[in-house]
Amino acid sequence: KQEVTQIPAALSVPEGENLVLNCSFTDSAIYNLQWFRQDPGKGLTSLLLIQSSQREQTSGRLNASLDKSSGRSTLYIAASQPGDSATYLCAVSIGRDDKIIFGKGTRLHILP
Amino acid sequence: EPEVTQTPSHQVTQMGQEVILRCVPISNHLYFYWYRQILGQKVEFLVSFYNNEISEKSEIFDDQFSVERPDGSNFTLKIRSTKLEDSAMYFCASRLGQASYEQYFGPGTRLTVT
């Protein structure tokens, strides 16, 4: 059974720092991996999607990497800003039209 | 930019009552999903729907739950007889098709069962 784990559960860093959020999954037979952002009481905003054949994706200050064989992904945020404060969710899809399995998230707080 | 919408944003109901949560997926999308998130817990898959039928459902999605696409735009989740433990945020998502794998999520409906 696929399990997704995110470490750390919470993180506080000063504004301007670069940071890395970690995600691991137990079954490497994934179709793709997505990183989402969730603001308190709000919906899920997709940040990046990496296909299983890809190694990384970049969008602005965000870079996500995928090492499928070791079951790991990282989300790198450069030059963090207070507006980046949110919960970041890692999720894997195990089939073309199949469900997404989510991690519990990392709650990020950027200190002004 | 097209987006998934959900109504209502918050629904309060008494235990045992039926509720219908509504979603309007992005207009040309073909795959539809419901997820839920109990406060403080992970987002959990409930059901996927394609070509007017359920593709997959989780063990949470028992006989009390049903989904429907009554017309070309709406996608609904019905809970027949709500329980206290059904209190959660319910998210609808849609995906374009076979060649596009990104799921787009709506803002959610917060369901409170009293």
Side-chain angles (χ1 to χ4, degrees), chain B residues 44-77:
Chain B
E44 303 172 287
F45 167 81
L46 292 178
V47 66
S48 58
F49 190 88
Y50 169 70
N51 200 25
N52 282 320
E53 60 183 27
I54 291 174
S55 306
E56 185 177 354
K57 58 185 180 180
S58 72
E59 53 208 28
I60 302 167
F61 194 89
D62 62 22
D63 292 345
Q64 293 301 311
F65 291 87
S66 63
V67 289
E68 196 177 34
R69 188 154 162 81
D71 52 43
S73 59
N74 290 284
F75 180 51
T76 62
L77 174 70

Side-chain angles (χ1 to χ4, degrees), chain B residues 85-113:
Chain B
E85 54 265 36
D86 293 327
S87 294
M89 184 77 105
Y90 288 80
F91 294 108
C92 173
S94 69
R95 180 167 73 86
L96 177 58
Q98 293 264 354
S100 176
Y101 311 110
E102 192 166 354
Q103 291 186 25
Y104 293 83
F105 282 74
T109 292
R110 179 166 298 286
L111 176 65
T112 302
V113 182

Side-chain angles (χ1 to χ4, degrees), chain A:
Chain A
K1 183 185 171 186
Q2 180 73 267
E3 295 279 347
V4 179
T5 303
Q6 292 186 247
I7 294 172
L11 181 65
S12 292
V13 300
E15 180 179 1
E17 284 199 5
N18 304 324
L19 59 100
V20 175
L21 307 181
N22 296 293
C23 171
S24 61
F25 45 95
T26 53
D27 187 343
S28 62
I30 65 168
Y31 210 75
N32 60 58
L33 183 144
Q34 273 185 272
W35 282 94
F36 292 87
R37 171 184 171 136
Q38 185 176 30
D39 292 285
K42 305 287 186 183
L44 308 174
T45 302
S46 179
L47 299 172
L48 290 162
L49 181 145
I50 312 177
Q51 299 287 7
S52 61
S53 57
Q54 297 175 320
R55 301 280 298 185
E56 65 177 343
Q57 282 285 343
T58 298
S59 176
R61 294 183 294 108
L62 305 180
N63 176 277
S65 69
L66 174 63
D67 184 343
K68 204 174 83 154
S69 60
S70 69
R72 292 180 188 173
S73 176
T74 61
L75 179 67
Y76 175 83
I77 302 177
S80 57
Q81 302 170 359
D84 295 331
S85 297
T87 296
Y88 290 80
L89 304 177
C90 172
V92 298
S93 172
I94 56 175
R96 279 198 177 192
D97 49 38
D98 217 345
K99 56 185 178 276
I100 290 178
I101 298 169
F102 284 83
K104 203 169 178 183
T106 293
R107 195 168 62 254
L108 176 65
H109 182 48
I110 306 299
L111 305 165

